[in-house]
Structures are given as structure tokens and as C-alpha cells.
Amino acid sequence: MMDQKIIFYVEKLQEEVMYAVASGADSNLYDFACEMLVSESADNKNAICQAYEVVKHALIG
């Protein structure tokens, strides 16, 4: 079961990807996750990594 922190980052990553696709910008999920890892606190790094995996698997299908 995903906790609220992971769900928050899943939604944030999905928003980033969808905005990039809609605007024609680069939509590299890995780059978005790396940017989050740099900008967020160390406490959130595990949740970001788990969110990345959730979004990646959802996109790959």
C-alpha cells in the first residue's frame, strides 16, 4: 500500500510529464525524478524513488 507521501510524488511526477507532453517540451520522467531528488529533503528521497517506479510502470503498461 502506498502512503500519502508516495501518492503526492506520483501525482507530481504525472503532472510534470503531462505538462511537458502538452507543451511540447522534453518529457523525460527520469530527469524529472532526478530534479526532485536534488530539490527535496533527504526524508522524501525514498518516496520519490518509489513514485518514479509507479509512474514508470504505469507509462510502460
Side-chain angles (χ1 to χ4, degrees):
M1 186 169 139
M2 289 192 294
D3 66 18
Q4 290 299 99
K5 196 182 289 189
I6 298 169
I7 293 169
F8 170 78
Y9 286 111
V10 165
E11 291 172 351
K12 195 169 180 179
L13 282 169
Q14 288 174 330
E15 288 172 10
E16 290 282 342
V17 170
M18 295 306 293
Y19 179 78
V21 169
S23 66
D26 184 24
S27 59
N28 188 327
L29 174 62
Y30 181 79
D31 288 343
F32 295 143
C34 288
E35 289 172 13
M36 282 184 190
L37 286 170
V38 170
S39 64
E40 297 288 334
S41 70
D43 295 341
N44 297 329
K45 291 188 187 295
N46 189 41
I48 293 168
C49 290
Q50 290 181 356
Y52 167 79
E53 290 297 324
V54 169
V55 175
K56 179 180 79 173
H57 288 285
L59 290 172
I60 293 172

